[in-house]
Amino acid sequence: MADLSQIQDINLDVYEPLHEVVYANQNENNSRIVKCHLFNKGVKWSVPDGVKVYIRMKKPSGCVVYREIGDNFGEIDGHYIYFPILDTMTKVSGRIVCSMEFRDESSDEVIFASKFYIRVAEIAFDDSILDENDFGGSDNGDIKIIQLVELTNITSENCIVECEVIADD
């Protein structure tokens, strides 16, 4: 299968707050890779030896996610840090406040931190109607169609009769 991930570039400066924004849609999973360009006062900067990089995210729900980059999550390559946007990040729409933390490997103290945001757009679909069969047939299609009609507040007897006829075919 082809890799359909989009790369979204942001600039992170360890001394100057840039407050970059990454845009994603609700329930996205591995569709975007964030590529962070690292700078130190505007000059390209690489993560020095003995420094671990973590990403801390506070989601709109209040949950906090804390992951080490390179620990089966993302990678560090020169003055770039890559990490994927996962569905665990995008379950709830709104603004995720993120901090890229650079920690001393021996003391675990934060040396630098750079803030950015992930803006998760709400999807326009009604979550109360679930995709049950990928547009295929089912053993009890008449019940599902009638439930769909009831969920959409269509109460005409003609519509329900037509739906039952369609489901019986």
Side-chain angles (χ1 to χ4, degrees):
M1 178 184 269
D3 182 12
L4 300 177
S5 299
Q6 298 178 15
I7 294 180
Q8 195 158 357
D9 294 279
I10 63 171
N11 295 322
L12 296 179
D13 196 304
V14 294
Y15 277 104
E16 299 174 12
L18 300 174
H19 303 296
E20 293 270 356
V21 179
V22 174
Y23 294 95
N25 293 314
Q26 194 171 14
N27 297 317
E28 280 191 16
N29 189 32
N30 278 321
S31 59
R32 296 172 200 268
I33 304 293
V34 179
K35 180 180 181 182
C36 304
H37 299 255
L38 301 177
F39 294 93
N40 180 345
K41 296 182 181 176
V43 177
K44 286 183 182 180
W45 182 75
S46 296
V47 178
D49 291 336
V51 174
K52 288 188 174 184
V53 181
Y54 294 85
I55 184 167
R56 180 185 302 269
M57 301 179 182
K58 184 174 181 185
K59 299 192 276 185
S61 63
C63 294
V64 174
V65 178
Y66 191 66
R67 293 283 302 264
E68 181 179 353
I69 300 293
D71 182 27
N72 294 318
F73 178 76
E75 69 178 277
I76 301 169
D77 181 19
H79 76 279
Y80 302 110
I81 294 176
Y82 299 87
F83 68 90
I85 298 291
L86 302 175
D87 60 348
T88 54
M89 299 174 188
T90 62
K91 289 285 184 203
V92 179
S93 63
R95 184 178 75 160
I96 301 172
V97 180
C98 306
S99 174
M100 189 71 69
E101 295 180 355
F102 303 88
R103 294 178 165 267
D104 182 286
E105 198 172 70
S106 59
S107 68
D108 204 37
E109 289 183 31
V110 175
I111 302 168
F112 307 110
S114 192
K115 189 175 181 178
F116 64 99
Y117 302 98
I118 299 174
R119 170 62 68 192
V120 180
E122 184 175 12
I123 57 174
F125 301 108
D126 183 0
D127 289 336
S128 66
I129 301 173
L130 302 175
D131 181 13
E132 294 179 346
N133 206 13
D134 292 332
F135 303 106
S138 67
D139 296 332
N140 56 352
D142 54 334
I143 294 170
K144 290 179 185 173
I145 291 173
I146 290 170
Q147 287 174 341
L148 178 61
V149 170
E150 290 170 356
L151 284 172
T152 56
N153 296 323
I154 300 172
T155 57
S156 165
E157 280 187 42
N158 290 338
C159 184
I160 293 174
V161 170
E162 289 172 14
C163 290
E164 287 174 350
V165 171
I166 292 169
D168 288 339
D169 287 343

